[in-house]
Amino acid sequence: MTDSSHPLAIPPPPRHARPGEPTGGEAWLRDPSPTALAAIAVGLVVVVLASIVSAFATPRRPDLPPPIEGQAILASPPLPTRAAEPPEASWSPPPVSLSSRSVLPTRTAPPTRAATPTRQPASPKPSRPRSKPPVIGPGELSPLPPSRERTLRSHGGGPETFIDFVNTRRAPVTVYWLNYEGRRQRYALLTPGQSYRQQTYVGHPWVVTDERGGGLVCFEPARRTSRAVIR
């Protein structure tokens, strides 16, 4: 008799299954337990649900050619663009009036007569520049306008004095004394550039005229001897 714990002991030969005796797997299939059946049913249900979800979630695409390098796959080919068509010319008839009344002809205003050109007023003649009043030097009598002759006349009682008449004009002049009635009395005729001294009295006016008798200037004597310059 041999000891099995001895290192040199020979192990027993493996036990072979007898023909007709079921193995461990075949025994499970022949006599399945309720837990195994439930696991199998749950697995089948999960597989069926997963297939249904994937079928509805993934859209169906037609067979596309392989993509070209650098381009993406299009879900559908682009539609060809149509060339822009020229707009059709539309014609609409003129609006028709719905009123049945006939339109009365309107009266046209008579043509207006052309306005006759008015005469432009004649431009005024340029007035002569007024001569500046003469500058009276020292010792000169103030000249009076010839229109004062009608109001001038001599009156007595004044002291004796002298007047130096000087003709600066280019024509001869005549010197008149206005008497007590205002009438002229001739005393001297002065040629151009000539002068003379006349004795008189204060209050006796004098008038100087041209050759035709037109008045040029009047003078009234002063108390002292003064000059009467005829310009």
Side-chain angles (χ1 to χ4, degrees):
M1 186 172 180
T2 61
D3 190 359
S4 60
S5 61
H6 195 273
L8 297 179
I10 299 172
R15 184 177 178 272
H16 295 281
R18 295 178 182 181
E21 184 180 0
T23 61
E26 292 177 357
W28 177 81
L29 292 176
R30 290 180 181 181
D31 189 11
S33 62
T35 304
L37 293 177
I40 293 171
V42 171
L44 292 176
V45 172
V46 170
V47 171
V48 172
L49 291 177
S51 62
I52 293 173
V53 170
S54 63
F56 283 97
T58 304
R60 298 183 62 186
R61 294 186 178 181
D63 295 336
L64 298 176
I68 302 175
E69 183 179 3
Q71 295 185 2
I73 299 176
L74 300 178
S76 61
L79 297 177
T81 58
R82 298 177 61 184
E85 297 180 357
E88 298 182 358
S90 62
W91 179 85
S92 59
V96 180
S97 175
L98 300 179
S99 176
S100 60
R101 297 181 181 179
S102 60
V103 180
L104 298 177
T106 58
R107 295 182 180 180
T108 58
T112 58
R113 296 181 180 179
T116 57
T118 58
R119 294 182 180 180
Q120 297 181 354
S123 58
K125 296 182 180 180
S127 58
R128 296 180 180 179
R130 297 181 181 180
S131 59
K132 296 181 179 179
V135 179
I136 300 174
E140 292 185 11
L141 295 174
S142 298
L144 301 177
S147 59
R148 290 285 304 275
E149 180 182 355
R150 293 175 297 179
T151 60
L152 294 177
R153 62 188 59 198
S154 297
H155 54 85
E160 183 182 15
T161 185
F162 295 89
I163 298 177
D164 292 335
F165 289 96
V166 181
N167 183 15
T168 61
R169 297 173 63 90
R170 297 180 180 180
V173 296
T174 304
V175 179
Y176 292 91
W177 169 59
L178 297 177
N179 60 15
Y180 297 99
E181 297 176 358
R183 296 180 181 179
R184 294 179 181 178
Q185 290 189 9
R186 181 175 175 178
Y187 268 75
L189 177 64
L190 301 178
T191 57
Q194 184 180 4
S195 63
Y196 92 104
R197 176 170 288 187
Q198 173 66 49
Q199 182 272 341
T200 184
Y201 297 92
V202 174
H204 288 198
W206 298 77
V207 61
V208 182
T209 66
D210 56 11
E211 293 179 330
R212 298 180 181 180
L216 297 176
V217 64
C218 297
F219 295 98
E220 287 185 321
R223 291 182 177 272
R224 60 183 180 179
T225 303
S226 302
R227 291 190 308 162
V229 181
I230 307 163
R231 296 181 173 86

